[in-house]
Every structure is written in C-alpha cells, then in structure tokens.
C-alpha cells in the first residue's frame, strides 16, 4: 500500500531516519534544509513588505514579489495600491518564465547553464504578443541585464502589462524579483521607463534589507 512506501520516500530525501536497532523512524536533518528554505522566504517577504507597500503607493498599481521554483515563477507576496480594486490574487500562483516580467528577470540573471536548460523547452504562446523565438528572448534578457529591469506587454494575458527588477541576497545572487503590473490602459508603453526605474529602486532597497552591499559583498 502507498502508506508503506511513504517512510522510504521520506528517508530518500533525508526527511526521516530509521534506527537500525529498533527500526523506528525519527525526523531527519533534511528537514533542517527544508525549514531553512521556508524561513528564507519568510525573511524575504518580511524584509520586502514595507518596500512593496511604498512601491504600490508610488505607482498606484499592484506589486508582486516572486521567486524561481523549478521551471516556473511563484508569487510569494502581493500589495495593491490603496483604493485599488484588485480582482486577481497572484500569491501562491505559478506563472511561466518567458512571458512574465518577473520571470524574465529571474531568467536574465541565472548563470548560462541553468538558463539554457530552462529555455530548452519550446516557448508556449499565451497571446499573439508572447515571445516564442529563443533568439529574440535572449536579446531581451541581455537588455534586462543592462537596464536592470524587464517588461512585458500583453505577453501572458491580453490587457496586462508589467515591469520587474531583481532582488539580491547577501551573497550577491538574484534571489527574487519585484514587479509592478496593471491594465495596459494604465501601464502604458510610455510609462514603462518610469515604472521600471521605480521598480529597480525598490529591488535595490529590498536587496539592502537582505544584507546585500553593492560592490562590497556581505553585510
């Protein structure tokens, strides 16, 4: 039965250990790794919250914080601008990498090998504006690295535009992305530059709160 297979599966992942003498199970050290990754996300969300709130107020749009999970983006926090009616709560939702602003940021700052592996799959078309050509996307990702922020124009959903910027951890690597998204009639192409710079500033502020010192390594 499946119940008998569960302990061996947990053991494989180091989540439980079996005492050879008694054959009884106890919690394993793999749980410490698992717990530390969750704690890391909680710390990130806690450190980010005031900055996200300020960015939502400055932009009058919806702000999200997202991380890379497998081959998807997962949103871990969302703040809507005051008085803004928001129909979609993205927290806990997984979205594709190639057609979201935060996904492009997370892709752009990955080392070459994992980035190429993630982009080895066919790029699914969600709207007529989704970028499905790998060379075009790679050029855009290079621009993201130069500018320090990414954008999408109706690439995941018709009528939805977004910008995003990286959040660095104390080790200097990109741990997350902060994004501003809204309807295309408000988040217009003309606003992208200003929104991108504001989002980039917010990403840098969160990074400092996470212990990152530009050019100086760890705090």
């Amino acid at each position: 039965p499946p119940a008998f297979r569960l302990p061996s599966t947990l053991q494989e992942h180091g989540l439980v250990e079996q005492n050879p003498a008694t054959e009884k199970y106890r919690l394993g050290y793999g749980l410490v790794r698992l717990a530390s990754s969750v704690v890391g996300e909680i710390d990130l969300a806690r450190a980010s919250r005031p900055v996200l709130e300020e960015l939502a107020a400055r932009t009058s749009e919806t702000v999200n914080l997202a991380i890379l999970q497998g081959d998807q983006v997962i949103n871990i926090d969302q703040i809507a601008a005051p008085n803004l009616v928001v129909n979609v709560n993205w927290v806990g939702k997984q979205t594709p990498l190639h057609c979201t602003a935060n996904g492009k940021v997370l892709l752009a700052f990955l080392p070459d090998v994992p980035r190429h592996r993630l982009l080895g799959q066919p790029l699914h078309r969600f709207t007529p504006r989704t970028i499905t050509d790998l060379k075009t996307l790679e050029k855009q990702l290079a621009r993201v690295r130069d500018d320090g922020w990414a954008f999408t124009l109706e690439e995941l959903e018709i009528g939805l535009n977004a910008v995003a910027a990286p959040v660095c951890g104390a080790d200097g690597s990109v741990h997350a992305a902060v994004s501003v998204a809204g309807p295309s009639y408000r988040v217009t192409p003309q606003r992208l530059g200003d929104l991108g710079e504001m989002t980039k500033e917010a990403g840098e502020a969160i990074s400092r709160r996470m212990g990152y010192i530009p050019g100086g390594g760890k705090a």
Side-chain angles (χ1 to χ4, degrees), residues 10-82:
L10 293 172
Q11 196 171 357
E12 279 173 34
H13 293 280
L15 302 180
V16 298
E17 296 168 357
Q18 191 174 27
N19 183 323
T22 64
E23 296 192 353
K24 286 186 176 178
Y25 288 96
R26 66 178 185 182
L27 298 178
Y29 284 103
L31 275 173
V32 176
R33 284 199 311 274
L34 194 61
S36 66
S37 69
V38 173
V39 167
E41 286 174 28
I42 292 169
D43 286 347
L44 171 63
R46 192 181 292 134
S48 306
R49 182 54 75 97
V51 182
L52 301 182
E53 288 172 346
E54 185 184 346
L55 183 61
R58 282 184 77 192
T59 60
S60 301
E61 299 296 347
T62 301
V63 172
N64 270 276
L65 182 69
I67 59 171
L68 181 65
Q69 189 174 78
D71 61 353
Q72 298 270 301
V73 179
I74 187 162
N75 294 276
I76 63 171
D77 203 5
Q78 175 172 306
I79 302 289

Side-chain angles (χ1 to χ4, degrees), residues 9-188:
T9 305
L10 293 172
Q11 196 171 357
E12 279 173 34
H13 293 280
L15 302 180
V16 298
E17 296 168 357
Q18 191 174 27
N19 183 323
T22 64
E23 296 192 353
K24 286 186 176 178
Y25 288 96
R26 66 178 185 182
L27 298 178
Y29 284 103
L31 275 173
V32 176
R33 284 199 311 274
L34 194 61
S36 66
S37 69
V38 173
V39 167
E41 286 174 28
I42 292 169
D43 286 347
L44 171 63
R46 192 181 292 134
S48 306
R49 182 54 75 97
V51 182
L52 301 182
E53 288 172 346
E54 185 184 346
L55 183 61
R58 282 184 77 192
T59 60
S60 301
E61 299 296 347
T62 301
V63 172
N64 270 276
L65 182 69
I67 59 171
L68 181 65
Q69 189 174 78
D71 61 353
Q72 298 270 301
V73 179
I74 187 162
N75 294 276
I76 63 171
D77 203 5
Q78 175 172 306
I79 302 289
N83 307 319
L84 191 65
V85 177
V86 176
N87 297 321
V88 181
N89 184 351
W90 293 94
V91 175
K93 291 195 175 184
Q94 290 187 314
T95 51
L97 287 162
H98 69 289
C99 57
T100 54
N102 44 27
K104 287 182 186 180
V105 165
L106 294 168
L107 273 175
F109 290 96
L110 271 180
D112 290 348
V113 171
R115 187 176 73 254
H116 292 154
R117 182 179 56 77
L118 286 171
L119 292 175
Q121 323 285 335
L123 302 176
H124 182 71
R125 184 179 295 283
F126 289 87
T127 77
R129 301 195 70 162
T130 306
I131 297 171
T132 58
D133 177 68
L134 187 56
K135 281 188 180 173
T136 305
L137 183 61
E138 283 280 22
K139 272 187 192 170
Q140 210 176 77
L141 296 179
R143 184 179 162 184
V144 172
R145 289 188 286 274
D146 289 342
D147 294 345
W149 57 275
F151 67 87
T152 48
L153 295 169
E154 302 188 289
E155 294 165 43
L156 177 65
E157 289 180 15
I158 295 292
L160 180 69
N161 293 344
V163 297
V167 172
C168 295
D171 61 358
S173 65
V174 172
H175 285 204
V178 57
S179 65
V180 173
S184 53
Y185 63 84
R186 281 205 314 259
V187 179
T188 59

